[in-house]
Amino acid sequence: MKVSQNWLKTLVDIDTTPEDLSEKLSIGGFEVDYLEDCSENVNGVVLGKVLSVVKHQGSDKLNICQVDVGNTKNLQIICGARNIKPNIFVYVATIGAHLSAIDLIIKRSEIRGVISEGMICSLEELGLEDSSEGIAVVEEDIAIKYELGTAGAILLDLNDYVYDLAITANRPDGMSVLGIAREISALLETKFHFPKLCHHYKINLLEKIDLCSEAITSDCIYTITSIDGLNGNQLSPRWLKDRIEKSGIKSINLLVDITNFILLEQGQPLHAFDKDKLSNLIGKEVLPDDFSVRKAKDQETLVCLDGKKYELNENITIIACGNIPVAIAGVIGGLETSVTNCTSSIYLEGAVFSPLSIRKSSKEIGIRTESSSRFEKGISFKNTIDSVTRAINLIEEYFGDNKPIINISNELIKEDKFIKLRRDRIHQILGPILLKNVQPNNFEKLDKRNLSDKEIEDKLKLIGCFLKSKEYGWDVQVLPNRSQDLLREIDLIEEIARLIGYDLFDLQLPNPIKPGKLSSSQLALKKLNYGFIENGFNEVLSYSLVSEDNNDLIKIANPLLIETSCLRDNIWHEHLRIINRNIKAGQTSCWIFEIGNIFYKKIDYIQEQILSGGIYGKRKLEKWVDSGKENDLNYYEARGKLNESLANMNIKVEDKPCNNIDFLHPGKTAKLFIEGKEVGYFGEIHPRLILEKKVLKKIYLFSLKVSNILNASTRKNKWIPLYKQFPTVPKMERDINLIFNKKYLINDIISQIKKSGKNLLEDVNLIDVFEDEDLGNNVVSYTFRLSYRGSEKTLLESDIAGIHSNIITTIENKFNTKLRN
């Protein structure tokens, strides 16, 4: 947002330097990106009068001019402009002046034997126009008001500064000159001059107008006003043109410039339609009820003010007249109904559209305008009628009384909304302020005290708040243009602190200060992360917004791009891309993991944190050992890496074969269980994806629910280390060798052995697997080593014989197996 200091001075008393004001605005929340001195380009340029013009004897095109610039001695200047003549007033660049537009420092020089003591300038040379035909001639009725030698910056209204402000989304009032002026009034504690409305106009309620419910919500409004007796050929007065151009908007004609002026001054976008063009478009005289706000239809088009033809769709909100599109609501008007030099009557539109509808339209057509940026931040509909009235006042000032009727979509119901502001709460949140108390002998003492009621009231009144005194403090009513950011008591307290100055408040630290600490789950999450890093994995972070690949994804309401329009329901897709990029880059291995969220919908929307990752290749430094050998890990090696990385969590992860995950190998995939609950999967990528070139090499993927890992690892018996005495008696080991059908799982067999072993069975381990055609194709031989130990004595054979025999019998019956001979 650009605004000139001269404009601000008409609205607020400024009693400080531009540099100091810039600093105060930045500290106050309106950061000044750049402060431009408008006179910088014309320093050393003064008003002069050409007294005589004589042909240069050494040139056909040059003239020797005597110019009076108010000094005792006239300047002799060589000039080659065609429009130079005696008795005209011109802009003279004196010796030492720097014309930055053409990067020239004026010096006393000799041109073909004649001394030249300056330069008579064109507006192009002063940086005020793109091109000029000759020197700039100052109109006599303007020049005679000033003495010769007056700085050119004064005549050109360049004795000014322009503040380029960065307005944050929570301060839409900063998108208007009035809002900035009020902010300056509060910061400097000076008087604010609100522009008064000269006339008010009759209001008519449009009962039949068709309005889109998404664009015109309960806190929005649409107004349309017919104004006749105009002249589109009339140009703007100098003051108006100066203000809007310094704000970065090009002057077009008086009618258009007035709408842009209101946009800047009030922060309320307006748009003018040519009334005659509208009538020609719909084939009859236009009435206010002919206007409507609706969603565009597919295949509708509109040529806009920028000369481009836009393809419309149902995501774009349009203004229609006679159901024909004439503007993209809140973004840009149509060229066919725009105001031109031939315009004699207009329909003036003033509206407040919902920010969501404007963002959608702006994104769809790919442009952002001064109007759309204001609607997107949010403006108050309570200011719209006054802004339209202000515009009509200016139109009547230059085109005569018209007394139009302002047609509105809905009546403004006056409701007084107050925010409860408690005195005790202010003191509790902000604490005391520190004041310097100068003692005798120039000794400074710091006094502490809470803010007084008067200080609080004065600061809130400076930003336009109305206060009602109450026993607990105040009921506060805020201005409409601050209703977007001052919603709660804490917002008002923050505003008080900002205007008082944060640096004046004493420290407000908790007493006593309690150090923070991480919870068991937070510590376990860090431990989980470290476990993978210590075992050679690299942590990655992928974007949670993805393109719409299927209808099951959750769509976000207002995406910036089609590629980021949905929330992801998995992470492995992105991990495959990362590994493929590493393979293409020549990497022989890539082990990655990520702890992130996925999103899906059952009855409600669900956000779930998972541990996901991928494993490709062997990671060894001694590459010469495996030179020429296959680089891929086998299933058990890759699964072992996952086990090693989870070892520090002190949890047991069980595997069960699985063949129903469509992107994983049906014979090399397992579902993972913790404490009997399914938590994820581990498996080799499906060969089909390699054949389709979606995956370049053999990759292993895994995914586990983080909540189950953390819950299991932070249980009291797992999280807090318990002391266990080393055994003082030896153990006894017995091996059993049985033949099983391959359909039985090792985990189930070991679990059954442990259940049957009672208290004396200490451990069970699989020590051998044997397959042979003599045994049969569907069977396998497993050898288990069982360890027995007593708690107080060395066990005898008689102590374990019964238990060992019972284990064998139970296994034989349970799994239909037999001991191998």
Side-chain angles (χ1 to χ4, degrees), residues 266-411:
Q266 305 281 336
Q268 170 66 61
L270 301 177
H271 184 69
F273 298 99
D274 188 303
K275 189 174 179 181
D276 294 331
K277 290 182 179 180
L278 289 172
S279 298
N280 293 334
L281 183 67
I282 68 172
K284 70 180 188 72
E285 185 179 349
V286 177
L287 299 174
D289 286 332
D290 291 323
F291 287 89
S292 62
V293 182
R294 65 171 174 86
K295 289 293 182 181
K297 300 171 185 175
D298 288 337
Q299 298 183 349
E300 281 187 315
T301 60
L302 180 66
V303 179
C304 292
L305 291 171
D306 58 2
K308 295 180 181 178
K309 183 178 181 179
Y310 292 96
E311 301 288 338
L312 308 180
N313 60 55
E314 60 183 11
N315 290 323
I316 299 172
T317 306
I318 63 164
I319 307 298
C321 185
N323 207 33
I324 299 174
V326 293
I328 296 174
V331 182
I332 190 170
L335 183 63
E336 191 175 358
T337 56
S338 63
V339 172
T340 64
N341 294 345
C342 301
T343 299
S344 60
S345 57
I346 63 169
Y347 264 107
L348 183 65
E349 175 196 78
V352 172
F353 303 101
S354 71
L356 176 62
S357 67
I358 301 302
R359 276 195 291 269
K360 281 184 177 180
S361 298
S362 183
K363 184 182 78 70
E364 283 292 327
I365 65 174
I367 61 171
R368 198 161 183 261
T369 60
E370 290 284 348
S371 295
S372 67
S373 63
R374 285 164 174 78
F375 285 127
E376 286 175 24
K377 284 184 169 66
I379 59 178
S380 175
F381 71 103
K382 295 179 181 179
N383 287 333
T384 303
I385 293 178
D386 284 347
S387 297
V388 173
T389 302
R390 169 85 165 133
I392 299 172
N393 284 177
L394 289 171
I395 290 172
E396 288 188 334
E397 183 179 339
Y398 292 97
F399 296 104
D401 289 346
N402 203 289
K403 295 180 181 171
I405 297 173
I406 301 175
N407 300 283
I408 64 173
S409 61
N410 50 284
E411 291 184 356

Side-chain angles (χ1 to χ4, degrees), residues 721-735:
L722 297 175
Y723 172 73
K724 187 178 180 181
Q725 188 173 355
F726 282 103
T728 57
V729 295
K731 65 181 178 181
M732 295 182 67
E733 293 181 339
R734 295 289 183 271
D735 293 347

Side-chain angles (χ1 to χ4, degrees), residues 192-208:
F192 176 66
H193 310 283
F194 194 88
K196 293 181 180 179
L197 299 176
C198 302
H199 303 99
H200 290 273
Y201 306 99
K202 185 179 178 181
I203 304 293
N204 176 54
L205 180 63
L206 293 171
E207 297 180 352
K208 297 181 180 180

Side-chain angles (χ1 to χ4, degrees), residues 621-640:
L621 294 178
E622 302 85 356
K623 292 185 179 181
W624 61 271
V625 175
D626 296 323
S627 178
K629 295 183 180 180
E630 188 178 351
N631 183 52
D632 295 330
L633 293 170
N634 64 39
Y635 178 90
Y636 301 103
E637 288 174 322
R639 180 64 182 86

Side-chain angles (χ1 to χ4, degrees), residues 386-524:
D386 284 347
S387 297
V388 173
T389 302
R390 169 85 165 133
I392 299 172
N393 284 177
L394 289 171
I395 290 172
E396 288 188 334
E397 183 179 339
Y398 292 97
F399 296 104
D401 289 346
N402 203 289
K403 295 180 181 171
I405 297 173
I406 301 175
N407 300 283
I408 64 173
S409 61
N410 50 284
E411 291 184 356
L412 295 182
I413 301 172
K414 188 175 181 181
E415 52 179 348
D416 296 331
K417 289 186 178 180
F418 287 91
I419 302 171
K420 183 178 179 181
L421 181 61
R422 295 165 291 175
R423 183 183 297 105
D424 293 344
R425 184 66 173 158
I426 296 172
H427 298 329
Q428 179 187 357
I429 295 291
L430 300 182
I433 57 173
L434 294 173
L435 296 174
K436 289 182 180 180
N437 186 1
V438 181
Q439 301 290 322
N441 301 323
N442 292 324
F443 176 74
E444 287 188 355
K445 178 184 176 184
L446 292 177
D447 290 339
K448 295 183 181 181
R449 66 167 178 82
N450 286 324
L451 291 173
S452 66
D453 285 3
K454 186 175 185 307
E455 286 173 315
I456 295 169
E457 290 172 0
D458 288 346
K459 293 302 179 186
L460 291 177
K461 286 177 181 177
L462 281 171
I463 59 171
C465 293
F466 173 73
L467 290 84
K468 284 184 180 179
S469 294
K470 298 288 182 178
E471 184 178 346
Y472 53 77
W474 302 268
D475 282 342
V476 182
Q477 184 180 28
V478 302
L479 284 173
N481 69 345
R482 294 301 304 274
S483 60
Q484 305 291 326
D485 66 303
L486 299 181
L487 303 171
R488 304 164 298 166
E489 180 183 44
I490 194 66
D491 297 329
L492 294 172
I493 295 173
E494 181 186 7
E495 200 70 2
I496 292 166
R498 185 176 69 85
L499 295 173
I500 291 290
Y502 294 113
D503 54 330
L504 294 181
F505 288 94
D506 193 19
L507 294 176
Q508 277 285 87
L509 297 177
N511 188 22
I513 299 175
K514 296 181 180 179
K517 64 177 183 178
L518 297 176
S519 66
S520 298
S521 292
Q522 290 170 325
L523 289 169

Side-chain angles (χ1 to χ4, degrees), residues 462-700:
L462 281 171
I463 59 171
C465 293
F466 173 73
L467 290 84
K468 284 184 180 179
S469 294
K470 298 288 182 178
E471 184 178 346
Y472 53 77
W474 302 268
D475 282 342
V476 182
Q477 184 180 28
V478 302
L479 284 173
N481 69 345
R482 294 301 304 274
S483 60
Q484 305 291 326
D485 66 303
L486 299 181
L487 303 171
R488 304 164 298 166
E489 180 183 44
I490 194 66
D491 297 329
L492 294 172
I493 295 173
E494 181 186 7
E495 200 70 2
I496 292 166
R498 185 176 69 85
L499 295 173
I500 291 290
Y502 294 113
D503 54 330
L504 294 181
F505 288 94
D506 193 19
L507 294 176
Q508 277 285 87
L509 297 177
N511 188 22
I513 299 175
K514 296 181 180 179
K517 64 177 183 178
L518 297 176
S519 66
S520 298
S521 292
Q522 290 170 325
L523 289 169
L525 189 61
K526 294 185 74 171
K527 194 175 180 182
L528 178 64
N529 193 295
Y530 293 151
F532 277 85
I533 293 171
E534 289 165 359
N535 281 280
F537 283 79
N538 290 314
E539 185 176 11
V540 297
L541 181 64
S542 58
Y543 205 29
S544 60
L545 295 177
V546 296
S547 59
E548 187 179 356
D549 293 332
N550 60 71
N551 294 327
D552 296 331
L553 296 177
I554 299 172
K555 298 178 184 178
I556 60 175
N558 189 32
L560 291 174
L561 300 168
I562 296 175
E563 292 78 8
T564 56
S565 59
C566 298
L567 293 168
R568 67 184 177 189
D569 62 355
N570 69 77
I571 305 181
W572 65 268
H573 268 137
E574 184 57 33
H575 287 179
L576 285 184
R577 294 189 190 100
I578 293 171
I579 294 174
N580 279 340
R581 285 197 294 269
N582 276 269
I583 293 171
K584 288 179 181 178
Q587 296 296 319
T588 56
S589 66
C590 183
W591 300 359
I592 59 173
F593 79 98
E594 178 177 355
I595 298 173
N597 292 318
I598 59 171
F599 310 84
Y600 54 91
K601 185 179 181 181
K602 290 186 176 178
I603 298 174
D604 297 320
Y605 293 116
I606 296 174
Q607 175 178 313
E608 186 173 62
Q609 191 177 37
I610 65 168
L611 164 66
S612 182
I615 303 172
Y616 155 69
K618 293 181 180 179
R619 181 160 288 184
K620 290 185 177 180
L621 294 178
E622 302 85 356
K623 292 185 179 181
W624 61 271
V625 175
D626 296 323
S627 178
K629 295 183 180 180
E630 188 178 351
N631 183 52
D632 295 330
L633 293 170
N634 64 39
Y635 178 90
Y636 301 103
E637 288 174 322
R639 180 64 182 86
K641 293 301 176 185
L642 178 61
N643 255 4
E644 290 174 10
S645 302
L646 292 171
N648 66 344
M649 302 305 292
N650 195 23
I651 58 175
K652 184 177 181 181
V653 182
E654 295 182 350
D655 297 46
K656 290 186 179 180
C658 166
N659 59 8
N660 60 356
I661 300 177
D662 61 353
F663 57 90
L664 294 179
H665 195 301
K668 297 182 180 179
T669 300
K671 286 188 177 179
L672 306 180
F673 291 80
I674 297 176
E675 297 181 332
K677 297 178 182 178
E678 184 181 335
V679 298
Y681 60 79
F682 177 90
E684 182 183 314
I685 199 71
H686 201 294
R688 181 190 74 252
L689 297 178
I690 297 177
L691 291 174
E692 294 172 355
K693 303 297 184 182
K694 293 180 180 178
V695 180
L696 302 178
K697 295 283 185 178
K698 186 191 293 185
I699 296 171
Y700 298 92

Side-chain angles (χ1 to χ4, degrees), residues 166-180:
I167 307 301
T168 54
N170 66 318
R171 289 296 302 273
D173 59 300
M175 297 296 285
S176 68
V177 180
L178 285 175
I180 296 168

